[in-house]
Amino acid sequence: MPRGRAALGGAGAGEPGRARRVAARIPRGRPGRPEKIAEAVSWLMSDKASYVTGAVLNVTGGL
């Protein structure tokens, strides 16, 4: 099983420049930044998400 960044399948996924190349297909028109992922994780870990269970939160810019 792959580990690290490639295991997550993120915009970079080990391929330099990929995020910029696929940006046109992303409804938001740009690749996501690490801060956006961190904001989602922070919310999931907060009391505001205390009633959320068994959910998949897609932080994909609309893909």
Side-chain angles (χ1 to χ4, degrees), residues 32-52:
R33 294 189 325 262
E35 299 85 28
K36 295 299 179 185
I37 304 302
E39 289 171 2
V41 171
S42 179
W43 176 77
L44 281 171
M45 294 177 66
S46 75
D47 288 339
K48 293 178 181 178
S50 66
Y51 206 67
V52 175

